[in-house]
Amino acid sequence: MEVTMPQLGETVTEGTITRWFKQVGDKIDADEPLFEVSTDKVDSEVPAPQAGYLSEIVVPEGETVPVGARLAVISDDAGAASSAPATPPAEPAAETPPVEPEPAPPAPAPPPTPQTPAPAPAVPAPAAAPAPAAAAPPANGGGTVTSPIVRQLIAQEGLDPAQIRATGEGGRITRNDVLQAARARGATPAAPAAPAPAPSAPTPASAPAAQPVAGASGDETVPFDNIRRRTAEHMVRSLATSAHVYTSVRVDFERVERVRRAHQAEWKAEEGFSLTYLPFIVRAFCDVVHEYPHVNASVEGETLIVHRDVNLGIAVDLSFNGLIAPVIRNADGKRLRLLAREIRDLAARAKSKQLSPDEVVGGTFTITNMGPFGTTMTFPIINQPQVAIMATDGIRKEPVVVESADGDDAIVVHHIGYLSLAWDHRAFDGAYAASFLNDLRVVLETRDWETELA
């Protein structure tokens, strides 16, 4: 059976194979993770469509192919796997030379040889550089790069494709080949970085950045992976696009805490997970946002698109290896229990890379929850093209002044936390943002939350 690149979302046309979980000859169970694919929206693990043996891998790691492309072959018996490896090399070998036949010969020719020794005196590794350079071209023909991700990595690392040992099928350079070459080079990345600042204007900015790398020989070079690169591009673009302003409000969560504590055991027995503060905050947001529709909007050129539906993105940390914001559709029409279930489900599937690309697009507002890490006040970056994002921070016991029934002031201990809103000044002004947060605070502090859990 042939394994092809699946259609992972309506707008997804191609994907990059970032990892094969099985190798040729390995036994596979149906629905067992077979490979990981990265798109411009999400990284996903794709299960095997049937049980059998992996007899052929057509597309190696690091390659980008369109939806429907042939990726691998699964056979019913192990014998088919043993004969398969002889066939693939012939196929890609015929395909790869036409892709980039001309760049390969010039690379090992005279140009690389004079250039390689030049930087070598500056960096104490002259002996190591010529050895791989000489070995790589004969073994791999200089290596052929066909993946955009691999090309970006090579450019980031300042490497010469002709001197990278290619282990992919047909002499292709994979992502792992680039990382291996970067590790073998050690501290050399500082050398190519030096010429770059010369023609550019921001000389003072680049000089200090390059210095620490060159100064410490034990430093590790960690190239951005796909999700890190996409996050960086998205955040930098957002800061350059939106007129960011930050407004915070202090919230007394005591009423929420008492209801949460009273129902925790029963909730956990019924739902299988703990009842946190986040569903209460989401429910309160859904109540208030209709009074402030410009918060649930996006900017297009010089117009504000106010969205009718509330599609709420919930930022999820992927075990410190990235961030993604799956979307709860029509969140304003759901009660607290259903919201809690969806938050839990989306977070769990995000962490196990089971989300589809369609589940992370179309958000109209985003909430990022730093509370579990005990933060006090977070100032997030807006998730474009939305006009606002709200951070929920740690909730802890603090002394507060309250008015008793007889009108006297008293100091009591309540659960206190902060909500911080990052908003785009192009969409509305400070009074609008402050009023929205204040109304949200009032709902959280005064609502009868018992009825929500009934």
Side-chain angles (χ1 to χ4, degrees), residues 300-312:
E300 282 188 18
E302 296 184 357
T303 61
L304 185 69
I305 310 299
V306 181
H307 301 293
R308 179 191 61 185
D309 297 331
V310 178
N311 295 327
L312 186 61

Side-chain angles (χ1 to χ4, degrees), residues 199-222:
S200 65
T203 321
S206 31
Q211 224 164 352
V213 179
S217 60
D219 288 355
E220 179 186 3
T221 300
V222 182

Side-chain angles (χ1 to χ4, degrees), residues 50-181:
Q50 69 169 44
Y53 293 86
L54 185 60
S55 60
E56 182 181 1
I57 292 178
V58 179
V59 178
E61 294 178 357
E63 293 295 308
T64 302
V65 293
V67 169
R70 183 170 173 263
L71 303 179
V73 177
I74 297 177
S75 303
D76 293 330
D77 55 271
S82 58
S83 59
T87 319
E91 234 177 89
E95 283 177 5
T96 41
V99 180
E100 291 183 74
E102 294 166 290
T113 322
Q115 278 180 337
T116 317
V123 181
N140 305 296
T144 301
V145 185
T146 56
S147 163
I149 289 182
V150 173
R151 278 195 289 271
Q152 284 178 6
L153 267 180
I154 291 173
Q156 276 181 315
E157 293 299 323
L159 296 170
D160 181 357
Q163 298 187 16
I164 298 176
R165 175 168 170 73
T167 61
E169 295 182 39
R172 289 172 176 153
I173 298 174
T174 68
R175 180 175 176 274
N176 286 338
D177 296 336
V178 180
L179 297 180
Q180 184 64 35

Side-chain angles (χ1 to χ4, degrees), residues 30 173 236 283 289 295 297:
I173 298 174
V236 170
R283 185 71 181 87
V289 71
V295 170

Side-chain angles (χ1 to χ4, degrees), residues 329-350:
R329 308 285 172 187
N330 301 306
D332 54 329
K334 297 171 180 176
R335 290 176 64 83
L336 187 145
R337 189 176 292 270
L338 181 55
L339 289 169
R341 288 173 183 166
E342 290 200 29
I343 292 169
R344 172 76 174 189
D345 171 63
L346 289 171
R349 289 193 293 115

Side-chain angles (χ1 to χ4, degrees), residues 7-38:
Q7 178 73 56
L8 295 167
E10 292 180 11
T11 60
V12 175
T13 59
E14 63 179 16
T16 300
I17 304 299
T18 53
R19 182 182 176 192
W20 283 100
F21 295 109
K22 298 289 183 178
Q23 300 303 318
V24 172
D26 288 354
K27 187 178 184 302
I28 306 168
D29 294 327
D31 297 326
E32 181 182 10
L34 180 58
F35 62 92
E36 182 180 280
V37 61
S38 177

Side-chain angles (χ1 to χ4, degrees), residues 119-308:
V123 181
N140 305 296
T144 301
V145 185
T146 56
S147 163
I149 289 182
V150 173
R151 278 195 289 271
Q152 284 178 6
L153 267 180
I154 291 173
Q156 276 181 315
E157 293 299 323
L159 296 170
D160 181 357
Q163 298 187 16
I164 298 176
R165 175 168 170 73
T167 61
E169 295 182 39
R172 289 172 176 153
I173 298 174
T174 68
R175 180 175 176 274
N176 286 338
D177 296 336
V178 180
L179 297 180
Q180 184 64 35
R183 280 194 292 269
R185 182 190 54 186
T188 337
S200 65
T203 321
S206 31
Q211 224 164 352
V213 179
S217 60
D219 288 355
E220 179 186 3
T221 300
V222 182
F224 284 174
D225 58 17
N226 212 27
I227 194 168
R228 186 79 269 140
R229 188 161 44 249
R230 291 200 308 268
T231 302
E233 292 168 355
H234 192 59
M235 295 298 98
V236 170
R237 185 168 63 249
S238 180
L239 282 175
T241 301
S242 294
H244 277 70
V245 186
Y246 301 97
T247 307
S248 298
V249 66
R250 184 172 181 265
V251 181
D252 188 335
F253 283 92
E254 190 62 23
R255 186 182 287 264
V256 171
E257 169 58 22
R258 288 174 183 174
V259 171
R260 195 179 74 94
R261 190 168 56 236
H263 292 267
Q264 188 67 270
E266 179 188 359
W267 175 279
K268 196 163 186 177
E270 291 177 357
E271 301 292 342
F273 59 90
S274 298
L275 177 59
T276 66
Y277 291 98
L278 186 56
F280 292 90
I281 296 170
V282 170
R283 185 71 181 87
F285 166 81
C286 292
D287 281 354
V288 172
V289 71
H290 289 290
E291 299 298 320
Y292 300 89
H294 289 193
V295 170
N296 189 57
S298 57
V299 171
E300 282 188 18
E302 296 184 357
T303 61
L304 185 69
I305 310 299
V306 181
H307 301 293
R308 179 191 61 185

